[in-house]
Amino acid sequence: MATLLIRDAAHIETFDDAGTSHAGASIFVRDNAIEAIGPANDLPREADRVVDARGCIVIPGLVNTHHHFYQTLTRAVPGTQDVPLFDWLIALYPIWARLRPEALRSATAIACAELLLSGCTTSSDHTYVWPNGCRIDDQIEVAREIGLRFHAARGSMSVGRSQGGLPPDSCVEDEGAIVADTQRAIETFHERERFAMTRVVVAPCSPFSVSEDLMRESIALARSYGVHAHTHLAETLDEQRYCVEHYGCRPVELAERLGWLGDDVWHAHMVHPSADEIRQLGATRTGVAHCASSNMRLGSGIAPVRALTAAGARVGLGVDGSASNDASHMLDEARHAMLLARIAGGPQAATARDALRRATRGGAAVLGRDDIGALAPGMAADIVGVRLDTLAMAGGAVHDPLAALVFCRPGNVDFTIVNGVPLVEHGASTRLDIERLVARHNVLALELVSGR
Ligand SMILES: [Zn+2]
């Protein structure tokens, strides 16, 4: 049994049920679980490994509920910078159709590195293009090597342009093959047990790129294995118009008709639900990945996050894909979520604590987990520390360290521990050669976009 001590933190914010916080405290970890939290003098002074947390605020690892890792290859691509969702997709689909396994693996590593350095310890990813032999195995292998807790959503598209869908036919897959490969991924990789590092999610892409049959088959597959299901829904008014034209109903009505509401489902965005739909999403405990930066970037609108939460929906935060954010920085995302809520609802619409709660407990609930998102004995040792004595925090953290994390400009974290393993220490990755990774990634990104 290995022990780990996070020693002498200036401040610990647990996000437990009672909202406990500690000053001058430590956390004792045995293997991959938290054993004790409390005043530094009451805990052991030594362990097999010690992380010096002096000058840091310590919080639970952040949980990212929506991403498309492969899009780290297509950030800020000219022609996609200033257009709404459908035009953005139409410009990017042919580029993504050239994706190859090496690029997908590189993109996964880049996104995982960025997430870890920004305090994220668990992430979902939603890849929905699988050309040229790309497989979810590529992503799961990389995430396992890096050590990020990973909910791999096996995305899919099956309705191409010739069938009335948005993507080109070159980007879609056969529905039988999609279901068979998703089932294979669940049977090969999905871990059910507490502290699972890999879970598989069934994730057809969106109403405008898959059929009703595939949506029905996908949710049936997910429920037969007891795994969760994920898709994009109610992101833009263009999508709403598409649904009315093609299905004769609004996106949330479509989801209900297809069995896609419930506590084992979460939808990315949910920018445009009606008041009745908000009540329905709440009553069914459906999950929502709120992607504030992406919604601003694409001008999609402002999701009614507060109303969704009040109705009973599970709401977490998502950075969304790197072609529509274009950053995988979870603290930054919490900040944007707080600020965006205030544009819609005034300065009391979201506090710094609300934003961080959504980024931790909220995300854990969205992914269906009770073992992450808070610091308490028996919880997974997913722990993050941020220095309070930096330039960006100067004159802020001394008054309110938790609020300063969100109000002040978020930088990278000092340490990130996932499942009891330090993956970031002193602000640097312990496992990855970032410089080498970035150099190769840039070559792959240029090849992908230029098609050469
Ligand atoms: Zn997305």
Side-chain angles (χ1 to χ4, degrees), residues 66 68 232 268-269 320-321:
H66 188 64
H68 310 285
H232 294 92
H269 301 296
D320 201 1

Side-chain angles (χ1 to χ4, degrees), residues 61-341:
L62 306 175
V63 180
N64 177 38
T65 61
H66 188 64
H67 207 318
H68 310 285
F69 290 170
Y70 71 92
Q71 293 178 11
T72 57
L73 293 151
T74 53
R75 296 198 240 219
V77 170
T80 70
Q81 294 167 7
D82 310 312
V83 290
L85 178 69
F86 280 14
D87 294 335
W88 175 89
L89 282 167
I90 289 166
L92 285 165
Y93 284 138
I95 296 173
W96 296 338
R98 295 193 286 265
L99 189 68
R100 294 187 171 278
E102 188 198 353
L104 179 60
R105 294 175 79 94
S106 174
T108 301
I110 288 282
C112 288
E114 255 194 300
L115 288 165
L116 286 167
L117 284 160
S118 75
C120 176
T121 52
T122 300
S123 183
S124 184
D125 178 71
H126 187 189
T127 294
Y128 49 82
V129 283
W130 302 101
N132 310 311
C134 292
R135 298 196 307 164
I136 203 165
D137 311 39
D138 296 310
Q139 298 194 280
I140 290 173
E141 283 165 22
V142 170
R144 283 180 172 172
E145 283 163 23
I146 291 174
L148 185 78
R149 209 180 286 282
F150 187 35
H151 285 226
R154 201 298 186 184
S156 54
M157 299 198 293
S158 67
V159 180
R161 194 87 34 87
S162 65
Q163 308 295 314
L166 194 69
D169 290 357
S170 61
C171 280
V172 305
E173 293 176 275
D174 169 75
E175 296 195 349
I178 290 167
V179 173
D181 188 60
T182 308
Q183 183 169 5
R184 178 192 69 83
I186 296 169
E187 290 182 355
T188 310
F189 298 112
H190 184 74
E191 300 168 1
R192 288 173 196 286
E193 67 273 15
R194 200 168 158 76
F195 302 150
M197 290 300 291
T198 309
R199 288 200 173 147
V200 175
V201 175
V202 184
C205 185
S206 63
F208 49 85
S209 59
V210 302
S211 71
E212 290 183 84
D213 279 351
L214 183 62
M215 290 296 285
R216 282 201 189 87
E217 273 190 69
S218 295
I219 196 72
L221 177 72
R223 288 184 174 141
S224 73
Y225 279 92
V227 305
H228 284 228
H230 178 49
T231 191
H232 294 92
L233 205 76
E235 179 176 358
T236 65
L237 293 174
D238 285 342
E239 177 202 324
Q240 189 169 299
R241 277 188 285 276
Y242 181 98
C243 285
V244 170
E245 266 172 39
H246 285 75
Y247 303 109
C249 65
R250 293 162 52 83
V252 176
E253 285 177 86
L254 177 68
E256 189 202 13
R257 191 161 99 193
L258 300 173
W260 273 76
L261 299 179
D263 63 4
D264 55 356
V265 175
W266 87 101
H267 298 290
H269 301 296
M270 202 54 74
V271 175
H272 299 288
S274 68
D276 280 346
E277 289 165 353
I278 290 171
R279 274 191 288 279
Q280 194 177 18
L281 292 160
T284 52
R285 298 274 301 139
T286 302
V288 173
H290 173 44
C291 304
S293 303
S294 170
N295 296 158
M296 287 190 278
R297 203 280 204 185
L298 292 169
S300 303
I302 303 177
V305 170
R306 203 175 175 196
L308 284 162
T309 306
R314 297 167 293 126
V315 181
L317 303 186
V319 298
D320 201 1
S322 297
S324 69
N325 179 327
D326 305 13
S328 309
H329 198 290
M330 269 303 285
L331 277 174
D332 205 34
E333 195 59 38
R335 183 166 194 264
H336 285 166
M338 179 184 79
L339 297 176
L340 183 60

Side-chain angles (χ1 to χ4, degrees), residues 361-376:
R361 293 293 292 266
V366 165
L367 298 185
R369 300 193 70 130
D370 62 5
D371 54 350
I372 59 171
L375 301 176

